[in-house]
Amino acid sequence: GENVEQHPSTLSVQEGDSAVIKCTYSDSASNYFPWYKQELGKGPQLIIDIRSNVGEKKDQRIAVTLNKTAKHFSLHITETQPEDSAVYFCAASPPGTYKYIFGTGTRLKVLA
Amino acid sequence: NAGVTQTPKFQVLKTGQSMTLQCAQDMNHNSMYWYRQDPGMGLRLIYYSASEGTTDKGEVPNGYNVSRLNKREFSLRLESAAPSQTSVYFCASKGQGATGNQPQHFGDGTRLSIL
């Protein structure tokens, strides 16, 4: 069935360094890829998304890249800050469906 | 705008008790979803409602029922709670956009413990 693999499951970086989280999807028809940040005790919040007609998208310190041939996409956070510490989820959505397939999450710790 | 509102925030039940989790959104979204989140397993879809008047099973529907009461409200019912249903439950909603798929917006969850 449809699947999204997310790596790593945990990631620790020093404040100011970059962090990269990678996801691989199985359904080649997927055309929408959101990334969510979940802080403790809260629901997931959308931080950036990308559609399949675009290879890269940036929003300040956050960027997402998409490689449709390899069926993988990545989240890049530059100049990390302690407030970036959270769990991050990727997801993939095929066209014509109402569903997302979520990755299992990455716990990011930014060490001051 | 409040976005997606879930009630209650916390609940403890005994095995066999029933309960309804409430969800409401004020963004005029067509689609609504119920997920459960367990450690190490990400978000798993229980049920969803593509539009008012329709509901469909997700990945883990057993032991749950849903009602799409109107466009704003989508409730999740546990008829006979079991310890395996101890989890954090999230409701989400999604609109339809001309540019293709749209993001889901999540509530802050209901933390449910079944003893």
Side-chain angles (χ1 to χ4, degrees):
Chain A
E2 299 152 349
N3 183 50
V4 172
E5 292 188 3
Q6 183 172 345
H7 298 283
S9 56
T10 61
L11 178 61
S12 293
V13 298
Q14 291 292 327
E15 183 178 359
D17 288 350
S18 295
V20 181
I21 302 170
K22 298 181 179 181
C23 289
T24 303
Y25 58 99
S26 61
D27 187 342
S28 58
S30 295
N31 66 351
Y32 177 68
F33 307 91
W35 283 92
Y36 287 85
K37 176 184 181 182
Q38 186 177 23
E39 296 177 333
L40 196 62
K42 298 288 188 180
Q45 297 290 310
L46 179 76
I47 54 171
I48 196 167
D49 57 6
I50 192 168
R51 291 181 171 80
S52 58
N53 59 347
V54 175
E56 182 176 2
K57 183 177 179 181
K58 279 187 176 181
D59 182 3
Q60 300 183 355
R61 297 186 296 107
I62 293 172
V64 57
T65 59
L66 172 64
N67 183 328
K68 285 165 51 180
T69 303
K71 293 190 289 185
H72 81 248
F73 57 112
S74 300
L75 177 71
H76 304 254
I77 306 174
T78 58
E79 301 173 23
T80 54
Q81 301 167 3
E83 52 264 38
D84 294 329
S85 296
V87 179
Y88 292 81
F89 290 97
C90 63
S93 182
T97 76
Y98 297 91
K99 296 188 287 186
Y100 290 2
I101 310 300
F102 280 91
T104 50
T106 296
R107 182 173 301 278
L108 174 65
K109 294 181 184 178
V110 179
L111 307 171
Chain B
N1 284 348
V4 178
T5 302
Q6 292 184 236
T7 55
K9 295 188 186 305
F10 302 93
Q11 186 70 49
V12 178
L13 294 178
K14 294 181 179 178
T15 298
Q17 286 185 317
S18 62
M19 161 146 204
T20 300
L21 280 60
Q22 307 286 354
C23 175
Q25 51 92 9
D26 61 4
M27 296 173 283
N28 200 35
H29 285 169
N30 290 325
S31 305
M32 297 186 74
Y33 306 78
W34 277 106
Y35 293 90
R36 60 179 288 173
Q37 186 176 39
D38 301 294
M41 300 191 75
L43 291 154
R44 293 186 292 168
L45 183 64
I46 304 171
Y47 271 93
Y48 68 102
S49 171
S51 60
E52 187 178 357
T54 70
T55 60
D56 286 284
K57 294 178 180 179
E59 184 185 352
V60 288
N62 291 345
Y64 305 96
N65 286 300
V66 290
S67 296
R68 183 75 183 265
L69 304 169
N70 47 55
K71 192 171 186 179
R72 290 188 63 247
E73 298 172 289
F74 188 37
S75 63
L76 178 72
R77 182 160 178 84
L78 287 69
E79 290 290 352
S80 179
S84 61
Q85 295 178 304
T86 293
S87 188
V88 182
Y89 291 85
F90 288 100
C91 177
S93 71
K94 180 172 79 70
Q96 279 182 281
T99 55
N101 218 333
Q102 297 295 310
Q104 293 184 14
H105 298 260
F106 286 81
D108 280 338
T110 294
R111 282 141 188 87
L112 183 61
S113 293
I114 318 277
L115 305 178

